[in-house]
Amino acid sequence: MPYFKISTPPAHANKNTASCADLIEYLEKENVGKDLEDQEHFFSHDQDIIFSDEAQNKIDNNVKGLKKNETKFYELSLSFSQKELEHLSNIAKNPTEERELIQKHVRDVMDNYANHFNRTLGDRQLNGNDLVYFAKIEKQRRYHPQTKNPELKKIYKQNYQTKAKIRIAKQNGKKSLQSDLEKQLIKNKDGRIIEPGQLKDGNNTHVHIIVAEKIKASP
């Protein structure tokens, strides 16, 4: 089963008692420098493509009745294991179908999320369509600067110290030593030096979700 997490407070926003602009901006990071047709857009429970400004406006404007310092939105995330990602790649015929399968799963999760509020509208339980939420599929992950993984901390330290030695060797014109030290740097399978903020290797597909505190206003 994919890992579902509610970040409290939001991991990628200054606060969740005002606009979700910071979180929206963070989730647009993988679109920077890409043509419009190559960008990954938000989606909702009933729409496959939602642009970032529309997502922000709908979250920010769905606050009637909430006080200034009350929570306006939450940040959720859905992460898949490597086996789940491999299975997804095997059953999807192309990237479009893979995206559709992920969207369907997210919508099923949000139906379940709404249902667990144990709240009814008329004679029925809440479902995902009653929520104001926008999800975004991301493909990249980076090594976290404040990792709690002791092994990764050791790698950070070793690479930091090795890079410092490389700088000294370079300044002193010791090319042979510099070359030997560069071989000691620990890299991931994609050949990137493992250090805080660097991209991780492999398939890192996951989903971020912004969901408003309040359900949809009645028409």
Side-chain angles (χ1 to χ4, degrees):
M1 287 288 291
Y3 177 66
F4 185 69
K5 179 182 178 182
I6 302 174
S7 297
T8 307
H12 304 104
N14 290 329
K15 55 184 178 179
N16 60 353
T17 55
S19 172
C20 66
D22 289 340
L23 182 50
I24 291 284
E25 181 179 0
Y26 170 80
L27 295 178
E28 283 288 278
K29 61 187 181 298
E30 290 187 15
N31 285 336
V32 175
K34 292 183 179 179
D35 292 333
L36 187 62
E37 60 269 21
D38 296 325
Q39 294 181 8
E40 183 67 53
H41 301 293
F42 288 91
F43 64 93
S44 65
H45 208 68
D46 57 1
Q47 290 182 268
D48 292 340
I49 295 178
I50 303 284
F51 290 105
S52 58
D53 55 350
E54 180 181 354
Q56 179 184 329
N57 287 336
K58 288 190 174 180
I59 294 286
D60 286 352
N61 290 323
N62 194 64
V63 295
K64 186 177 181 180
L66 294 176
K67 295 179 181 178
K68 182 178 180 180
N69 292 322
E70 287 187 315
T71 295
K72 306 300 189 300
F73 64 91
Y74 298 93
E75 179 186 357
L76 318 178
S77 60
L78 193 66
S79 301
F80 304 93
S81 70
Q82 285 303 308
K83 285 187 177 180
E84 289 167 336
L85 290 172
E86 288 173 10
H87 176 69
L88 186 62
S89 296
N90 289 334
I91 62 175
K93 297 176 182 177
N94 51 58
T96 298
E97 185 171 325
E98 182 174 315
R99 186 178 194 272
E100 290 171 351
L101 289 170
I102 293 174
Q103 286 179 329
K104 181 182 183 305
H105 183 73
V106 169
R107 287 161 178 157
D108 289 342
V109 167
M110 295 309 287
D111 276 331
N112 194 40
Y113 175 82
N115 187 258
H116 274 74
F117 288 129
N118 197 27
R119 176 179 169 183
T120 58
L121 278 178
D123 58 352
R124 66 173 179 81
Q125 289 285 114
L126 285 183
N127 59 52
N129 200 46
D130 297 311
L131 305 175
V132 179
Y133 80 85
F134 301 95
K136 183 79 168 290
I137 299 170
E138 291 197 326
K139 301 289 187 179
Q140 300 175 346
R141 285 192 186 279
R142 296 180 181 274
Y143 292 105
H144 200 287
Q146 283 82 45
T147 181
K148 296 180 180 179
N149 184 320
E151 186 61 33
L152 193 54
K153 286 182 178 180
K154 288 181 182 179
I155 292 174
Y156 284 174
K157 183 178 180 180
Q158 181 174 329
N159 280 343
Y160 177 81
Q161 292 174 339
T162 302
K163 288 178 76 173
K165 293 176 182 177
I166 290 171
R167 286 194 295 271
I168 294 172
K170 186 176 181 179
Q171 290 170 359
N172 294 331
K174 297 181 178 180
K175 293 183 179 180
S176 178
L177 176 59
Q178 180 183 340
S179 178
D180 289 341
L181 288 168
E182 287 173 348
K183 294 175 183 177
Q184 295 177 25
L185 290 168
I186 303 173
K187 301 178 181 180
N188 61 26
K189 293 178 182 178
D190 288 343
R192 300 188 183 97
I193 299 171
I194 298 176
E195 56 188 348
Q198 182 57 272
L199 288 173
K200 292 185 177 182
D201 57 328
N203 188 342
N204 291 291
T205 299
H206 59 287
V207 184
H208 285 280
I209 306 164
I210 311 173
V211 57
E213 162 70 18
K214 292 179 65 67
I215 63 172
K216 288 180 182 177
S218 301

